[in-house]
Amino acid sequence: MNLKMDPGQEILRLLPPETTIEYAVPFDIHENRFISDGWIIVSPERLYVVRKSGILEAHELSSFSRIRVNAEAHSGILEGKKNGTWIYLASFSMRHIIRVSYAAAGAEKLALKQPGKVVSHERELYCPKCGRAYQGAEKCPHCSSQFYYLRQFFGMMKGQWKTLVIIALCTMSVAGLIAWWPKLQQELVDGALSHPETGGMGDLIRFLILMTVSTVVMIALDSTQYYLSVRMGADIGRSLRERMYHKLQLLGMDFIHRRKAGEIMNRIQGDTNRILEFMSEVFAGMFSTLVVMLTVFTLMIIMNPLLTLFSFLSIATVTVIMGLFFGHIHRIFNAQYRKEDALESRLQDVLSGMKVVKSYGQEEKEAEAFRKEADEFRKIQTRNERFFAILYPLITFLMALGTFFAIYFGGRDVLFGRMSPGELLQYTTYTSLIFGPLAWMTGLPRKIMELITAMNRISDILEEEPTMKRAEHPVKKEVQGEIKVEHVTFGYEAYEHVLEDVSFELKRGEMLGLVGESGAGKTTLINLIMRLYDVSEGKITVDGVDLRDWDPETYHSSIGVVLQENFLFSGTILQNLRFAKPDAALPEIITACKAANAHDFICKLPDGYDTYVGEKGSTLSGGERQRISIARALLADPRILILDEATASLDTESEYQIQQAIERLIENRTTIAIAHRLSTLKNATKLIVIDSKKIAEMGTHAELLEKKGIYYNLVEAQLKMQADRPAEAGE
Amino acid sequence: MDDLLTMKQLTPDKAVFSDNGGGFLSLKFDGKEYERVGVYRMFPNTEKDRFLSIREATEKAPEIGIIYDLSEFDGNTRTLIEKQLLMRYFTPKIRKFIKIREEYGHVYFTAETDAGAVRFTIRAGGNSVAHIGGGYYRITDLDGNRYDVEDIYALSNRELRQFELYI
């Protein structure tokens, strides 16, 4: 992202001469109105807020102790602190908030005389040439080329050229046979049937045999090209689904969170199915139709050019009408797909949260909300189909007019001896051959639009660039587990930090306990150490190597994870355990489960280790799921263990079992734990208290208790709660 | 614990608001002076001038008190507070759609708002238009800006036909 944009001469002229620009970024709100000429300019000594009308603010950077962007509800404010007082500098829309945040960070560095220049690695969101959005992709679909998505579609068929050639040959052969029939009919009518004295039964039988044979051949060729088209469509569909699924694994967590699950599922399933439908119903038919039309049109022109031109008046009318409606058809089908997405998402939401729905007795309300959503979808679908129910017959009628022209003017020619009856029959047959496919072609814009829409939605995923780049030469050695976090600053949004200047070191085998209020940044820190996100400033090293330089698979395979929400995939307990180590032998699995205190309850299940646990392991209790997760982590035998303790207390027996299992799990492993249990906290080599985005306290359990600070208060509160519990139970 | 549950009401006789000298809001209340405070609408869609939470301008932003109804305060104070609200809640109202164009999976709007002309973009397949109630809709663009259409039925037929494809 460019932090030194060009404000133009009109703005630069307002600044003192010889001003060196370090940062120049736009702002677009002034006195609650949009403006287009606002600039925030930072020189090594001063900060200016400028419009074409003049300099609105000018400050010596050295007078500021802080310069920052404050993210308001739907806009941003640039503000600075001078002598203990916050000064308002400029307002801007969310469009500029990221850019201004970076410039503000740069200005603050200059104000505080800190070394280093601020650079942004964020991508531009809009094409600098045409202004169109290309969120997530590196190229603008408009500036890169026209017919972009159609070219992508044809590009997918590149590896299938042999199949395409066979389809083309079959199609052309079928077209040839179709064009030959009317000629055969003409010869029969003008020959044997008009002059029985020269022809007779023999000619009739010959004609019938020829018709039968050509019909059989045509059916065989048509079936072949249909089968090949469908197969090609299925291959393309499968390849797309695999690519999309694979891409989703590579993309950062921010991509997944930005979209609804139903939307992603619809794209992997629904949109790829639309490609398959296009291939089977439209693709081959489209070429076959085009070839037939061209062949027949050529023959018609040869037979009677004037008559052909008259007939084609109706084609011209149809083409104009279709052109007028093209954009509208595209829009209404997009609206339909969006509603379908929304419906699917709602259904998924409710099904996933069925427990919550039922426990609050909201079944009726949810059913009503789903009925409304389904009804809206029905309305759009009905409206769209009604539109086509009117358009299609109109188009068909207009094209039928062409046939009426042919019969009238052709009939006149026969009566005046300018055309034989056989030739008229041949001509009118050709007319119906043209107009039949034309009627089919009226549906083609709709089908092509559906294809383009589907390709568009698929490309959205396939062209999304992963926010976290792979190193050019990723490190692939064995992880030992020494972690160093150095001056790390991070925010899910560039303008809102969750962690600021966090530093600590963890030697191999040590355990770090993270403590702090809910929302303090503990899970964020864990996400950074797991490299689910990249740090904004500073770095994290493992065994002396920057996390960004590690091979992601090597690093991730050395991490074991036990989280609060213990997700088990649909499958058996054994399959879930093998997720950590696919080639684990059964004795190994059993040992891990014994260590996790899971073996006993698994054995007592009717199907033992073959028990199917379903989506999210819904047949197991929370404590049981957690113990399976611990067994899974043990099987992985990780160097680094990430442990996010569940906040919910279980019954005493389960608590004790899990506590034991965790103690076995963390032995000799570098562990980072978001700890809630006193026992875990006491065992930690080091504790960190995160408060207000920073490390507020660091030390051992005993050291922090002595300080009587935040940690002390947290422990006191927990002890008090535990002391109160027996009293509550007694009541 | 009792402190957490208490709603401290800020009334004109107890709370004195002023400009902090830098364009932000200061407050004197309950014997304390706050150099800068933030104003938060508890019900931004339905109660724009009632139930305003006044909070310290620190990281955790603890609540100082609540203005039950802004109209209780004098004109100058109301102006100061409204200025802060406008800074925080910048949601232009769309008066007219000049152009709506869909391309390559995004929808490009050109519109006249009560804050001037604007161009913004939304994702075509996403959840960018939310129904607030009745004919009131809210558009959130790709960048996170918000624009309100207070009454879609007050739009012209052409505008409504184009816009409703995205509702």
Side-chain angles (χ1 to χ4, degrees), chain A residues 68 97 134 178 216 239 252 261 271 298 328 353 420 487 537 552 586 608 621 636 659:
Chain A
R68 69 177 185 190
I97 196 166
Y134 49 47
I178 289 174
V216 168
S239 159
D271 289 319
T298 309
H328 180 71
S420 69
H487 303 290
E537 277 177 51
L586 293 179
S621 73
Q659 196 186 310

Side-chain angles (χ1 to χ4, degrees), chain A residues 508-521:
Chain A
R508 182 182 167 172
E510 285 186 342
M511 180 177 151
L512 174 75
L514 295 176
V515 182
E517 284 174 0
S518 176

Side-chain angles (χ1 to χ4, degrees), chain B residues 40-68:
Chain B
Y40 298 73
R41 283 187 173 122
M42 289 189 213
F43 307 99
N45 295 336
T46 48
E47 300 282 2
K48 289 189 162 50
D49 292 331
R50 293 176 68 216
F51 298 103
L52 306 175
S53 174
I54 307 297
R55 294 176 171 265
E56 291 185 38
T58 54
E59 190 53 52
K60 290 191 181 165
E63 188 174 83
I64 301 165
I66 299 171
I67 292 176
Y68 280 25

Side-chain angles (χ1 to χ4, degrees), chain A residues 172-193:
Chain A
M172 287 193 296
S173 307
V174 167
L177 283 169
I178 289 174
W180 179 56
W181 269 22
K183 179 69 183 157
L184 210 57
Q185 279 179 325
Q186 180 265 318
E187 284 175 4
L188 179 68
V189 168
D190 288 342
L193 296 182

Side-chain angles (χ1 to χ4, degrees), chain A residues 243-262:
Chain A
R243 282 170 62 196
M244 284 166 76
Y245 185 80
H246 179 68
K247 193 63 188 277
L248 278 175
Q249 307 299 318
L250 293 177
L251 291 173
M253 293 300 293
D254 56 340
F255 178 86
I256 311 281
H257 286 149
R258 264 190 278 132
R259 284 159 179 77
K260 296 178 287 191

Side-chain angles (χ1 to χ4, degrees), chain A residues 222-334:
Chain A
D222 210 32
S223 303
T224 305
Q225 63 93 347
Y226 177 76
Y227 164 73
L228 290 172
S229 300
V230 169
R231 199 182 71 180
M232 198 160 67
D235 285 343
I236 291 171
R238 188 204 66 208
S239 159
L240 277 175
R241 272 190 215 105
E242 279 171 10
R243 282 170 62 196
M244 284 166 76
Y245 185 80
H246 179 68
K247 193 63 188 277
L248 278 175
Q249 307 299 318
L250 293 177
L251 291 173
M253 293 300 293
D254 56 340
F255 178 86
I256 311 281
H257 286 149
R258 264 190 278 132
R259 284 159 179 77
K260 296 178 287 191
E263 198 187 315
I264 295 178
M265 272 172 59
N266 208 5
R267 288 183 198 207
I268 296 179
Q269 281 293 98
D271 289 319
T272 48
N273 275 342
R274 277 184 196 109
I275 309 279
L276 174 61
E277 279 163 20
F278 184 85
M279 291 303 294
S280 59
E281 293 170 16
V282 177
F283 183 68
M286 191 169 72
F287 283 107
S288 151
T289 304
L290 276 170
V291 170
V292 165
M293 275 176 58
L294 273 168
T295 313
V296 166
F297 179 64
T298 309
L299 291 169
M300 283 168 77
I301 286 275
I302 293 168
M303 284 184 73
N304 195 326
L306 197 61
L307 186 58
T308 307
L309 281 167
F310 265 120
S311 305
F312 272 72
L313 271 176
S314 62
I315 292 182
T317 315
V318 165
T319 311
V320 165
I321 292 174
M322 291 312 298
L324 290 171
F325 280 108
F326 198 74
H328 180 71
I329 292 167
H330 175 49
R331 279 198 306 274
I332 62 177
F333 273 93
N334 241 341

Side-chain angles (χ1 to χ4, degrees), chain B residues 85-148:
Chain B
L85 287 169
L86 279 168
M87 267 200 251
R88 179 163 170 75
Y89 298 98
F90 184 71
T91 307
K93 312 270 178 291
I94 290 178
R95 298 281 178 247
K96 189 180 165 66
F97 288 110
I98 310 291
K99 198 160 137 186
I100 302 176
R101 188 183 88 239
E102 185 172 335
E103 267 186 13
Y104 304 109
H106 291 95
V107 189
Y108 298 89
F109 290 81
T110 308
E112 277 294 333
T113 72
D114 61 349
V118 73
R119 275 193 209 163
F120 59 89
T121 310
I122 67 172
R123 188 183 289 278
N127 216 16
S128 307
V129 183
H131 185 210
I132 304 297
Y136 203 126
Y137 286 82
R138 178 162 290 155
I139 307 171
T140 306
D141 74 4
L142 276 187
D143 301 307
N145 297 305
R146 283 195 186 178
Y147 307 91
D148 280 355

